Amino acid sequence: MKLLIKNGRVIDPASGTDDTLDILIERGKIVDIKTKIDGDGPKIIDASRLVVAPGFIDIHTHLREPGQEDKETIHTGSLAAAKGGFTSVACMPNTTPVNDNRGIIEYILSEAKKSAVVNIFPIGAVTKGQKGEELTDMADMVDAGAVAFSDDGLPIMNNYLMRRTLEYSKLLNILIIDHCEDTNLSSGGVMHEGYYSYLLGLTGIPSFSEEIMVSRDIILAEKTDARIHIAHLSVKGAAELVREAKKKKLKVTAEVTPHHLFLTDASLENFDTNLKVNPPLRTKDDVKALIEAVKNGVVDVFATDHAPHTPDDKEVELDQAPFGINGLETAVSLFLDKLVHKNIISLQKFIEMISTNPALILGFENKGRICIGADADFTILNLRKEIIVDVNRFKSKSRNNPFHGWKLKGAPEMTIVGGKIVYPF
Ligand code: DOR
């Protein structure tokens, strides 16, 4: 029932804390935070030389259940999350059937209660069957537990429908997570349209397929005064549009994934289907602009877009393979190694973008912060730990991760959800 985390470097960007502190947990909540708390009774965790952060929240995960359990289940996805340092994940609705009604929300929540080791928050579909034709009953789904809405995997092509979506979301004060892609421009594409797609003879997806939709949705967000969160930002032009929107104080936020920050379209040269992702890996120039956007606050959130696919799905020609990268178990080490250890961003900023900000954007008042009364969800990091990514040791059911073999410094050491140690297992 009681847990005491001792001597950790506690970093809580919400309150500006960065200090060596003890934290006492009781019945799933933080009950005390002090320089020294006596450890008489509770189970003690020695966090000396470790960083204690508010639990990491992945705003963009595909758990595949119901319907595609060969790729991932709520149980295996939650194990992958725990190992990856995530205490909460918000799961996208492109399941089979699509999560477009109360019944599926209730199913996911009850399955999560039975088998998940981290908090699972369902994201409802904006349109029925994600067909982009008819809106779902968002109010009913919010009542059932949906924390946001998205047709992720697919855009909402119809401008009229997107307008109505934003109007309803404003009424309900719920977030729309926006997959920005003009399918008239991207259809048939397998990678970024540019030098490498011409070189490899592959059909390209132009940058402006994303830019046009980001631009449309910023205009609609302004006209409707609604909130939008741009998913998986991948191109420079889109980052510039978000920057302009923020300058105008519109309610626009954005996320970026590790693969869009640390890989480029040049890597497709070996035709590895594990690099096929939507939006596609872009150019060096885009990567540079995205890193700049992270540094200057244009991008608010780090998200994984964990998209598990089986070897059978991926061991086909590039044209035939589904889009997606399995990301929950590598994201944190990638960010620590490539951004924090390289002094591109501070550790505080990293934690802000993977915990504080997703909690704020999703409206989770008791998460993403370390204060008395908050949920006892923690990610404990070992900044010195060196790992070599090995997909064969994944807890996820799938292995489609292009970082296999990468040597990275910094990793989750322990994951605590509601005062319970869920990793190491
Ligand atoms: O690469 C992707 N995979 N992008 C998406 O938008 C959907 C996702 C999936 O569901 O596999």
Side-chain angles (χ1 to χ4, degrees):
M1 273 298 213
K2 276 193 184 181
L3 198 65
L4 179 58
I5 308 174
K6 278 195 85 65
N7 303 317
R9 177 179 168 197
V10 176
I11 300 184
D12 175 41
S15 58
T17 306
D18 184 348
D19 218 341
T20 305
L21 294 166
D22 292 353
I23 300 173
L24 183 65
I25 296 159
E26 234 181 284
R27 277 181 233 103
K29 298 275 178 194
I30 300 172
V31 294
D32 205 1
I33 309 170
K34 276 209 282 284
T35 315
K36 192 170 181 341
I37 301 173
D38 283 329
D40 220 12
K43 180 179 163 63
I44 295 175
I45 295 165
D46 180 13
S48 318
R49 306 187 74 209
L50 299 173
V51 170
V52 180
F56 294 171
I57 300 167
D58 188 18
I59 199 170
H60 193 148
T61 300
H62 297 269
L63 288 179
R64 307 301 190 205
E65 188 178 353
Q68 300 156 26
E69 290 84 356
D70 53 335
K71 297 174 193 270
E72 195 78 285
T73 64
I74 290 169
H75 175 62
T76 59
S78 81
L79 294 177
K83 184 170 167 228
F86 292 97
T87 55
S88 298
V89 300
C91 56
M92 285 296 174
N94 59 341
T95 46
T96 316
V98 167
N99 182 5
D100 62 3
N101 65 75
R102 164 183 285 273
I104 312 274
I105 299 272
E106 286 173 351
Y107 169 80
I108 291 171
L109 290 173
S110 82
E111 202 45 46
K113 209 168 165 192
K114 273 190 262 166
S115 70
V117 300
V118 303
N119 306 300
I120 306 289
F121 294 102
I123 298 169
V126 171
T127 65
K128 292 186 181 165
Q130 288 191 270
K131 290 200 175 99
E133 289 163 4
E134 204 185 331
L135 294 184
T136 54
D137 188 343
M138 287 199 240
D140 195 42
M141 291 169 82
V142 168
D143 185 58
V147 295
F149 288 86
S150 181
D151 267 1
D152 184 68
L154 295 166
I156 295 154
M157 285 293 291
N158 182 319
N159 302 340
Y160 166 81
L161 214 63
M162 189 61 181
R163 171 190 179 174
R164 293 289 176 239
T165 300
L166 293 177
E167 285 168 348
Y168 283 121
S169 71
K170 183 173 164 60
L171 278 177
L172 297 168
N173 188 25
I174 194 98
L175 182 72
I176 299 297
I177 303 180
D178 197 6
H179 174 114
C180 293
E181 171 186 357
D182 182 325
T183 50
N184 293 318
L185 294 166
S186 64
S187 174
V190 296
M191 67 175 294
H192 172 68
E193 180 179 288
Y195 173 81
Y196 286 98
S197 67
Y198 300 131
L199 188 77
L200 303 172
L202 294 168
T203 312
I205 299 172
S207 303
F208 48 87
S209 133
E210 180 171 325
E211 288 158 4
I212 280 176
M213 289 305 246
V214 171
S215 164
R216 179 201 70 172
D217 292 344
I218 287 173
I219 292 170
L220 288 175
E222 180 169 18
K223 301 295 175 202
T224 58
D225 191 32
R227 290 194 290 148
I228 55 166
H229 175 76
I230 311 285
H232 40 49
L233 202 69
S234 78
V235 294
K236 181 179 176 179
E240 275 163 13
L241 290 163
V242 174
R243 183 162 56 91
E244 288 306 311
K246 288 196 163 181
K247 247 200 233 157
K248 284 167 118 181
K249 305 258 180 280
L250 304 183
K251 296 167 187 157
V252 177
T253 54
E255 70 186 31
V256 70
T257 70
H259 45 272
H260 290 115
L261 287 175
F262 310 129
L263 295 169
T264 66
D265 58 343
S267 60
L268 263 299
E269 258 183 330
N270 63 10
F271 296 94
D272 180 359
T273 56
N274 287 331
L275 296 161
K276 182 175 172 185
V277 66
N278 189 22
L281 304 176
R282 303 287 188 180
T283 66
K284 262 195 200 156
D285 210 29
D286 293 306
V287 164
K288 215 170 126 205
L290 291 180
I291 289 184
E292 223 24 68
V294 165
K295 280 165 64 178
N296 61 27
V298 168
V299 177
D300 308 81
V301 166
F302 289 132
T304 70
D305 195 1
H306 176 74
H309 292 291
T310 66
D312 279 357
D313 297 328
K314 281 287 195 180
E315 281 165 18
V316 292
E317 252 115 83
L318 209 54
D319 293 25
Q320 308 299 320
F323 291 100
I325 287 176
N326 184 315
L328 279 172
E329 288 165 82
T330 46
V332 167
S333 290
L334 283 162
F335 291 128
L336 289 175
D337 184 293
K338 304 272 164 229
L339 298 179
V340 176
H341 284 311
K342 303 260 179 315
N343 291 321
I344 291 171
I345 59 168
S346 67
L347 184 57
Q348 290 80 353
K349 168 105 178 152
F350 163 65
I351 295 168
E352 183 178 298
M353 290 183 67
I354 203 160
S355 181
T356 325
N357 289 350
L360 283 173
I361 290 168
L362 288 169
F364 296 167
E365 281 173 15
N366 292 323
K367 299 197 182 294
R369 55 215 294 242
I370 297 179
C371 60
I372 292 173
D375 293 344
D377 293 353
F378 298 95
T379 303
I380 300 184
L381 300 171
N382 183 341
L383 299 181
R384 287 159 292 112
K385 188 164 167 180
E386 297 200 348
I387 62 148
I388 297 175
V389 176
D390 181 356
V391 296
N392 299 310
R393 300 181 68 178
F394 273 11
K395 286 290 163 187
S396 166
K397 235 181 179 180
S398 295
R399 305 276 174 269
N400 55 306
N401 179 297
F403 301 105
H404 180 68
W406 284 36
K407 208 172 151 195
L408 302 168
K409 191 171 170 193
E413 180 84 16
M414 184 178 276
T415 308
I416 299 174
V417 177
K420 206 173 141 215
I421 300 167
V422 296
Y423 173 78
F425 304 113

